[in-house]
Amino acid sequence: MNIFRLGGDLAHLLAIIILLLKIWTTRSCAGISGKSQILFALTFTARYLDLFTNFVSVYNSVMKVVYLAAAYATLYLMYVKFKATYDHNHDTFRLEFLILPAAGLALIINHEFSIIEVMWTFSIYLEAVAILPQLFMVSKTGEAESITSHYLFALGSYRALYIVNWVYRYYSEGFYDMIATLAGVVQTVLYCDFFYLYITKVLKGKKLQLPA
Amino acid sequence: RSGKSTKDEL
């Protein structure tokens, strides 16, 4: 463990908590893409299949359970409890366009052709593109509530910090994982225009308005 | 194999 990875995990946890608080306190999931949340739940499920078979540390196991529980709690809030506030009309990204290529690629490019490893690889590829429906929805609505942009900033920062962690691990322990690293770069690059808007607008107290 | 040791990450 290093401060970059710990920072990344905490940013990820913060993002998940911000989202749950936003939906719970406003009792609305307006502006949030349920499809991205489905992809995140799918990502954690595919990645943490070894939750009971591969004990790494208490921290690792606790965080996996928290991520899984939060992901499914968010789906429950969005598709059951506050279903009436879910914005179907703007959350129209076709999930099969993301899930099928990630699954296909995981079968072709992986570290080892075993169930656990292919599922892990699938979760890595899927997570890289899981935010697309959300970014697509923000571009369709043309704006995002500031709480939603804080959520996206924390979520984007998490994998950016993981990239720093991988660079650090490469130089400090010679560890590298090209699949996780390249997918992490793609995932972070997808946030770039959002990061720009967040820093130039939201931090100045303006609303996040995407150029129409 | 690098892939295996990734599994200590979330």
Side-chain angles (χ1 to χ4, degrees):
Chain A
M1 177 57 83
N2 57 66
I3 49 160
F4 306 113
R5 182 145 60 98
L6 183 60
D9 290 341
L10 295 180
H12 194 188
L13 188 63
L14 179 65
I16 289 173
I17 291 169
I18 288 173
L19 182 62
L20 277 172
L21 279 181
K22 173 253 185 293
I23 298 176
W24 185 255
T25 54
T26 64
R27 303 183 71 74
S28 160
C29 54
I32 304 297
S33 164
K35 298 197 169 195
S36 278
Q37 298 311 314
I38 290 172
L39 295 180
F40 287 129
L42 212 50
T43 294
F44 294 141
T45 306
R47 188 173 303 175
Y48 301 150
L49 292 174
D50 63 350
L51 175 60
F52 301 110
T53 56
N54 172 26
F55 179 79
V56 175
S57 69
V58 172
Y59 168 81
N60 187 272
S61 300
V62 166
M63 290 296 273
K64 285 175 178 177
V65 169
V66 168
Y67 286 172
L68 280 166
Y72 284 101
T74 302
L75 287 184
Y76 169 75
L77 290 180
M78 291 196 70
Y79 287 102
V80 178
K81 192 153 178 61
F82 303 123
K83 180 182 170 72
T85 65
Y86 171 49
D87 186 359
H88 281 275
N89 303 319
H90 289 114
D91 193 12
T92 56
F93 203 99
R94 302 291 300 277
L95 290 188
E96 54 270 37
F97 290 170
L98 299 175
I99 294 173
L100 295 177
L105 196 60
L107 286 167
I108 299 166
I109 303 177
N110 52 60
H111 289 307
E112 178 192 5
F113 197 72
S114 66
I115 298 284
I116 284 282
E117 195 66 25
V118 169
M119 288 300 272
W120 175 85
T121 310
F122 167 64
S123 82
I124 290 290
Y125 295 148
L126 191 63
E127 184 186 10
V129 294
I131 200 61
L132 279 175
Q134 179 65 65
L135 296 178
F136 183 71
M137 183 176 194
V138 170
S139 69
K140 274 188 87 173
T141 52
E143 63 178 10
E145 289 173 36
S146 60
I147 187 83
T148 305
S149 49
H150 297 317
Y151 159 70
L152 286 171
F153 183 74
L155 197 59
S157 308
Y158 131 69
R159 215 63 180 172
L161 285 165
Y162 254 73
I163 293 171
V164 181
N165 149 67
W166 287 318
V167 171
Y168 175 82
R169 288 188 75 179
Y170 178 70
Y171 288 109
S172 65
E173 53 189 277
F175 164 85
Y176 69 92
D177 180 333
M178 285 319 286
I179 288 179
T181 305
L182 290 178
V185 168
V186 167
Q187 180 169 338
T188 304
V189 163
L190 290 177
Y191 283 83
C192 280
D193 66 328
F194 167 76
F195 279 147
Y196 172 75
L197 288 168
Y198 182 81
I199 289 164
T200 57
K201 290 197 174 168
V202 178
L203 291 190
K204 294 200 171 77
K206 295 182 199 143
K207 205 172 170 62
L208 182 81
Q209 305 273 348
L210 288 186
Chain B
R1 219 178 23 262
S2 68
K4 277 291 165 204
S5 45
T6 318
K7 302 311 173 291
D8 63 343
E9 296 183 344
L10 287 171

